[in-house]
Amino acid sequence: MFEIAVWICGVFLVLAAAGAIYRLAKGPSLLDRVIASDVLLAIVGASLAIEMVYNHHMNNIFLLVIVSLIGFLGSVTVARNVGTGKP
Amino acid sequence: MTLELILDIVAAVCMVVGCLMSLAAAVGLVRFPDLLSRMHAGTKPQVFGLLLLLTAVAIEGRDPKMIPLLILAWIFMLLTVPVSAHMVGRSAYRSKHLHEENLTQDDLKNVVDYASTRRED
């Protein structure tokens, strides 16, 4: 029963990653790509969580926190510097 | 129907719905017309999907000592994702991403105009 759930989650995450990469490639502007990379990082975090659920351990909770923080820092700096127009 | 089975089922359901959330985020990201609506799709499912996945991790982890750490991880995500979406929205609004036709009501217009006029004088 549990393997089926993990398999379904894997398929969902692969489709989500494909959608995010599509938006990352096609995104007309830089800000679209920032949002798409944020979603991609969330998918990485989700896969970490699934691996933790499947193997019944909690070792890489810190990696999950670090991934979400780094994603936040990246998108905020890009958003901060794209809109100002000053060199 | 032992307790173990029930907990497993609840964790599996939480996990599947959490991943459904990121799938919804990606579908919203692909299909929404302009950047400001894509921001909705990009950020909301992230936070809720992570909450469900962290509950699944907490249920399967089986030791309640780690629950505060999971809550901390989720609070970090809860604090950071809206701030980054706000920054992206702010620079998107000021740059060329504003498509008037998609907006039904624009509250920020007079604030931005007032701010820009105040900057000249």
Side-chain angles (χ1 to χ4, degrees):
Chain A
M1 187 272 299
F2 212 71
E3 277 69 21
I4 303 166
V6 172
W7 270 94
I8 293 173
C9 286
V11 169
F12 282 159
L13 286 186
V14 166
L15 293 177
I21 288 172
Y22 165 75
R23 176 53 58 193
L24 199 73
K26 180 178 172 301
S29 73
L30 175 62
L31 291 176
D32 291 306
R33 294 190 172 98
V34 163
I35 294 273
S37 61
D38 236 0
V39 170
L40 211 55
L41 270 174
I43 291 166
V44 166
S47 56
L48 280 174
I50 286 181
E51 193 268 336
M52 277 194 282
V53 168
Y54 187 63
N55 298 330
H56 301 289
H57 65 79
M58 280 197 189
N59 302 342
N60 40 23
I61 276 287
F62 296 106
L63 181 56
L64 191 66
V65 171
I66 298 296
V67 160
S68 53
L69 282 183
I70 296 299
F72 159 67
L73 289 180
S75 53
V76 164
T77 38
V78 169
R80 175 70 186 84
N81 294 329
V82 87
T84 51
K86 290 188 287 302
Chain B
M1 280 300 265
T2 65
L3 180 61
E4 295 297 321
L5 191 57
I6 294 171
L7 285 183
D8 271 357
I9 290 175
V10 170
V13 167
C14 279
M15 200 169 57
V16 170
V17 175
C19 291
L20 209 58
M21 281 293 149
S22 16
L23 183 64
V27 166
L29 210 57
V30 167
R31 289 203 39 94
F32 277 158
D34 68 335
L35 177 72
L36 294 181
S37 50
R38 257 176 231 140
M39 246 178 14
H40 284 291
T43 51
K44 289 195 181 55
Q46 266 179 22
V47 175
F48 185 52
L50 190 69
L51 171 69
L52 290 175
L53 283 170
L54 287 183
T55 50
V57 168
I59 291 172
E60 285 301 311
R62 284 294 194 285
D63 57 350
K65 293 194 306 306
M66 296 292 273
I67 302 286
L69 198 58
L70 294 175
I71 292 172
L72 180 72
W74 187 60
I75 284 180
F76 268 143
M77 192 72 165
L78 194 60
L79 292 179
T80 53
V81 168
V83 170
S84 76
H86 172 70
M87 293 294 291
V88 170
R90 186 178 172 282
S91 57
Y93 185 85
R94 279 157 178 73
S95 66
K96 58 193 182 322
H97 290 287
L98 184 61
H99 300 292
E100 286 299 332
E101 73 280 1
N102 289 342
L103 300 178
T104 54
Q105 197 220 346
D106 190 350
D107 299 330
L108 199 55
K109 180 177 290 296
N110 34 32
V111 172
V112 171
D113 300 345
Y114 172 72
S116 52
T117 51
R118 209 159 47 78
R119 200 176 300 137
E120 269 89 29
D121 51 14

